[in-house]
Amino acid sequence: MPALAGNEKSNQAIGDSLCEALFDSIATFVPKDSMPLGIGIESLEPAEQIYVRKCFVRNLKSKGYNLLLSDGPRKLTITSFKVTVRYEADGWRWFGLKQTFKRRVFIRIEGWLETGSRRRVLTSFELNKSYTDHIQNGSSAELEESTYPFFKGIWQKPSLWMRALQPVLVGSVLTAVVYLFFTVRS
């Protein structure tokens, strides 16, 4: 979904919508009843823990779940949470013909739902969501403003094949245009 100039969403706003979609997917296999649902977070960085708890509360509370921020009769255990933001220049950008960059945001979450005093695993999950759009040249600094460090993007260089192929392709096209121009004139 391409963004219009000046109306680009921040990386965190995109992450929030992807996280909401992930918790919507999780909610499909968590029975909605009066039994409280707790959350357990394992092996995550402190900023990731805060963000996942915020997403957990915001998204499942709005669906009517009785939530706990610790253990409960049912517990949603999150073992992995990864956000990746990548920027890449399209090929024509290197020749000054395009003033946009491709932005890709990926979120991956893994864990399981357990229940009872013996912590029987009901279901495990590994969910991924992604978003791709084009952003204006020079706008990445504003889009990265966030309290969470994982919403900073990584610039991805074009592959060696693309770096070698593009000059050959552009040279061939220019040679063909010049040849046709002088052939038609004579």
Side-chain angles (χ1 to χ4, degrees):
M1 175 168 67
L4 301 174
N7 294 332
E8 294 140 345
K9 291 181 179 181
S10 71
N11 294 347
Q12 184 174 347
I14 293 169
D16 290 347
S17 64
L18 292 176
C19 199
E20 180 179 347
L22 288 171
F23 275 97
D24 283 347
S25 298
I26 291 170
T28 60
F29 59 80
V30 177
K32 190 178 191 181
D33 53 23
S34 61
M35 192 182 327
L37 175 64
I39 187 167
I41 298 176
E42 299 178 1
S43 309
L44 299 184
E45 297 292 324
E48 292 171 337
Q49 289 182 18
I50 293 168
Y51 186 75
V52 169
R53 284 185 199 279
K54 183 182 100 174
C55 290
F56 170 76
V57 170
R58 181 182 62 225
N59 295 305
L60 293 180
K61 188 78 164 175
S62 69
K63 292 173 181 40
Y65 286 89
N66 182 11
L67 302 179
L68 300 171
L69 291 178
S70 60
D71 282 350
R74 289 183 304 177
K75 183 169 100 173
L76 186 64
T77 302
I78 307 295
T79 58
S80 176
F81 178 77
K82 178 78 173 157
V83 175
T84 307
V85 180
R86 290 194 178 130
Y87 305 111
E88 61 183 68
D90 290 334
W92 297 110
R93 165 68 180 102
W94 297 108
F95 300 106
L97 299 175
K98 200 169 191 182
Q99 296 300 312
T100 61
F101 293 95
K102 187 180 287 186
R103 171 176 57 177
R104 294 181 180 180
V105 181
F106 303 96
I107 294 186
R108 182 171 170 256
I109 191 168
E110 291 181 33
W112 59 79
L113 176 65
E114 55 189 47
T115 187
S117 60
R118 296 179 153 218
R119 294 297 176 204
R120 184 175 56 97
V121 174
L122 294 179
T123 186
S124 61
F125 57 88
E126 180 180 328
L127 302 169
N128 301 293
K129 293 288 181 188
S130 65
Y131 176 88
T132 302
D133 69 351
H134 287 83
I135 60 171
Q136 294 298 315
N137 185 15
S139 66
S140 65
E142 297 122 23
L143 300 177
E144 290 183 338
E145 290 180 12
S146 173
T147 56
Y148 303 104
F150 46 83
F151 284 115
K152 302 284 187 233
I154 301 166
W155 284 96
Q156 189 171 359
K157 293 181 181 178
S159 68
L160 180 61
W161 175 252
M162 286 303 292
R163 288 184 287 185
L165 179 65
Q166 286 174 347
V168 170
L169 182 65
V170 170
S172 301
V173 169
L174 289 176
T175 302
V177 168
V178 169
Y179 173 77
L180 289 174
F181 176 74
F182 284 111
T183 303
V184 172
R185 278 186 81 199
S186 43

